[in-house]
Amino acid sequence: MKNVIKLLAKGALVMLPMLVIYIYIWVSPMAFMDEEIPHYLWNKEKTNTPEDRYYDTIILGDSIANAAYMPEILSETTINLSLGGMTPVENYYILQDWLSSHSAPKVCYISFQDAHFLVDDCFWSRTMYTHRFRREQIREIIRTAEVYREHSILTEHYWMDVLSYELRLPNKYMASLLNGGFNQRYETNKEEQRLDELHGGRYIARDAKGFDGGHKVVLDEFYVNPLFEDYYRRLIGLCVDQGIQVRLVKLPHPENVSFTEEYRTQFYEYYEILKQDYPGITVDWIPTYQKECFVDENHLSNYGALCFSSEIRKLYPEDFPDAPLNEQQVAAVNDSISYVRRGEELFDWIAGRDYTLFLRDDEGVSSVSGLGDSGVQEEGYVLENGLFLKREPNEAWKWGEPEMGEVTMVVVDHYNDQVVYQQSFWREKDMYLIAE
């Protein structure tokens, strides 16, 4: 009997580390998960938690949608629920979750890159890994994938993989556990979620640098595979059933990407059929943007998102009525301004908003008001975006001298009466490159 007890005790001691790891995986995912995981968990909580606040506009799609639509620029009642790697499959259930705990919005903008009409490359590594959806939703996805024989979801042992994730078996999380260490990512992940809330769900390319232009890319075929066609229509149909205006937007590409006539023909034929089947939806293809607006061949930078969101506001003013920025929007704009590396972008960041941009160079001090205060015309000139740059007395400069660079720029936020940006730049033709 004593030998049996000793054997059981030894077995318990051997199993204890595994039990600790197993419990840790269940109760502390934010402590070891990396990359986009905190954003998926924020999205899950946001969509499933009832709120008093009403959002009249929601954004759905994948990473290009997440990078492009900037709620702080669009409106205080816009939220970006898109996630990196998502296809129409997952977005159907995101909307389903949202409608179960929130009032239906008035408008839904939906954008996908072509790749996410073809394969689901993140179903296991993100959707299942984070337990983003309920069990019955996952089972419905798998069964639908079986109908269409969708290889990007149906792994060799897919039902066993589903069970392994549902039970949170350590073999599915060991790589992150080893790379993340014990509780090493918790603070970073919580900060990412704080910024998710601040920026209304937008997280892709929040702090990324610019794009060098890339290689020439020619797209010659537009195709939606059957599984994603099914769920794309389910998504649109759910919106229509709820009285939600659907706006399908193909987002801009950089200058190195082009499309053949065959591609364009296939694209417009596909969407003409959709518009016939769902009268009332709108379809837009936004033209090419300059490479300075991107961080890679697909994703808009902060500045690109500012340009795109401003364009969408002009295209559909009925969706985004003019209103003063609220406290959260101002804080989000300030955060985005803090990452600016090309000085000329600052003029567009302040345009229409209560900011002042001060510039100091070897000719003295100038200022630009975001609200368009033109002052005395002889003392300055009108910029391309309609703002007015005027000369100031030297004593208007209240900030430290630059240690390097030809021009210093300072942005003052008048909503909070504080300096939110100061950098020195080298001047290169019409560009101001940050001095480092």
Side-chain angles (χ1 to χ4, degrees):
M1 186 65 181
K2 289 182 178 181
N3 290 335
V4 172
I5 294 173
K6 286 182 179 180
L7 182 62
L8 291 174
K10 288 180 180 180
L13 287 174
V14 170
M15 293 299 297
L16 183 60
M18 291 301 297
L19 181 61
V20 170
I21 291 173
Y22 188 60
I23 294 172
Y24 182 57
I25 291 171
W26 273 85
V27 303
S28 301
M30 289 281 285
F32 66 91
M33 289 184 173
D34 60 354
E35 295 178 351
E36 296 198 21
I37 302 311
H39 313 298
Y40 273 59
L41 296 179
W42 177 87
N43 183 284
K44 179 179 180 179
E45 182 177 1
K46 191 73 174 178
T47 55
N48 288 286
T49 304
E51 297 178 81
D52 293 333
R53 182 177 180 181
Y54 174 63
Y55 294 94
D56 59 15
T57 304
I58 64 173
I59 312 301
L60 293 174
D62 53 17
S63 59
I64 65 164
N66 189 275
Y69 293 91
M70 190 173 270
E72 58 263 37
I73 299 301
L74 293 169
S75 75
E76 65 177 313
T77 53
T78 297
I79 188 165
N80 192 331
L81 298 177
S82 57
L83 286 169
M86 294 293 93
T87 71
V89 176
E90 293 88 355
N91 276 267
Y92 170 74
Y93 295 105
I94 289 174
L95 180 59
Q96 190 180 79
D97 285 351
W98 182 263
L99 294 174
S100 70
S101 56
H102 298 77
S103 298
K106 296 177 181 177
V107 186
C108 180
Y109 284 78
I110 304 173
S111 296
F112 293 99
Q113 65 184 99
D114 290 359
H116 291 136
F117 284 137
L118 298 174
V119 296
D120 198 325
D121 56 355
C122 294
F123 178 75
W124 296 102
S125 61
R126 295 179 188 169
T127 301
M128 292 300 299
Y129 186 85
T130 59
H131 305 272
R132 173 58 190 82
F133 300 113
R134 299 188 302 277
R135 289 177 180 176
E136 61 269 23
Q137 293 170 322
I138 293 299
R139 281 161 172 70
E140 186 174 42
I141 292 173
I142 295 293
R143 292 191 180 103
T144 309
E146 288 175 333
V147 171
Y148 291 104
R149 302 177 183 273
E150 178 48 49
H151 64 86
S152 61
I153 292 177
L154 302 181
T155 59
E156 185 177 359
H157 307 290
Y158 53 91
W159 281 117
M160 184 62 69
D161 287 331
V162 169
L163 182 61
S164 296
Y165 277 112
E166 287 189 352
L167 295 176
R168 292 170 171 81
L169 297 184
N171 64 302
K172 296 298 184 183
Y173 297 92
M174 193 55 66
S176 291
L177 288 166
L178 293 173
N179 292 330
F182 183 75
N183 214 39
Q184 290 183 8
R185 289 176 170 151
Y186 182 78
E187 294 300 328
T188 300
N189 286 341
K190 289 300 290 184
E191 174 62 12
E192 286 297 307
Q193 291 190 332
R194 184 191 71 81
L195 292 172
D196 290 347
E197 186 68 27
L198 176 65
H199 290 277
R202 180 179 176 271
Y203 68 94
I204 298 290
R206 278 197 304 233
D207 58 354
K209 296 182 180 180
F211 178 45
D212 62 7
H215 302 290
K216 291 290 184 181
V217 176
V218 179
L219 300 179
D220 58 8
E221 182 182 24
F222 178 80
Y223 176 71
V224 182
N225 107 9
L227 174 68
F228 305 116
E229 162 84 5
D230 184 331
Y231 272 98
Y232 199 33
R233 285 177 169 271
R234 289 194 205 188
L235 178 58
I236 296 169
L238 181 56
C239 287
V240 171
D241 290 344
Q242 294 288 323
I244 303 168
Q245 171 67 61
V246 177
R247 304 206 188 282
L248 308 178
V249 181
K250 185 173 179 61
L251 296 171
H253 284 76
E255 299 156 301
N256 66 302
V257 179
S258 61
F259 304 86
T260 64
E261 283 304 313
E262 183 178 8
Y263 179 100
R264 293 176 183 277
T265 298
Q266 292 170 352
F267 176 88
Y268 287 117
E269 286 178 350
Y270 177 83
Y271 280 101
E272 279 303 316
I273 293 173
L274 270 187
K275 287 195 288 186
Q276 292 172 14
D277 293 344
Y278 301 98
I281 70 172
T282 63
V283 179
D284 295 284
W285 185 343
I286 305 299
T288 299
Y289 279 10
Q290 294 181 338
K291 66 179 183 180
E292 289 80 12
C293 292
F294 291 84
V295 298
D296 56 33
E297 290 177 348
N298 294 302
H299 301 94
L300 289 166
S301 63
N302 270 347
Y303 179 65
L306 169 69
C307 296
F308 170 75
S309 297
S310 299
E311 183 173 354
I312 285 292
R313 280 183 57 87
K314 293 177 182 176
L315 188 61
Y316 292 108
E318 64 272 27
D319 296 346
F320 310 106
D322 289 329
L325 299 186
N326 67 13
E327 182 179 347
Q328 179 177 331
Q329 287 175 284
V330 172
V333 169
N334 289 348
D335 184 62
S336 294
I337 287 176
S338 71
Y339 294 108
V340 170
R341 301 183 60 81
R342 298 169 61 248
E344 64 272 16
E345 296 177 1
L346 292 170
F347 297 99
D348 292 324
W349 275 108
I350 71 168
R353 291 170 273 277
D354 197 6
Y355 292 82
T356 299
L357 171 62
F358 288 92
L359 307 89
R360 183 167 186 168
D361 56 20
D362 54 9
E363 296 181 8
V365 179
S366 303
S367 71
V368 179
S369 168
L371 295 181
D373 179 12
S374 61
V376 180
Q377 293 291 326
E378 301 86 68
E379 296 179 2
Y381 60 92
V382 178
L383 304 174
E384 289 185 3
N385 63 0
L387 297 182
F388 188 81
L389 183 145
K390 63 179 180 179
R391 284 296 175 190
E392 297 280 1
N394 283 338
E395 59 267 23
W397 189 256
K398 301 177 182 178
W399 301 276
E401 294 287 348
E403 295 181 4
M404 59 189 302
E406 299 171 279
V407 180
T408 298
M409 297 188 185
V410 170
V411 177
V412 178
D413 158 20
H414 295 297
Y415 300 95
N416 299 294
D417 291 322
Q418 63 179 0
V419 173
V420 295
Y421 185 90
Q422 178 173 347
Q423 288 288 356
S424 298
F425 299 87
W426 298 111
R427 193 196 307 267
E428 185 175 305
K429 296 182 179 179
D430 294 330
M431 297 188 297
Y432 297 90
L433 305 180
I434 198 166
E436 295 180 313

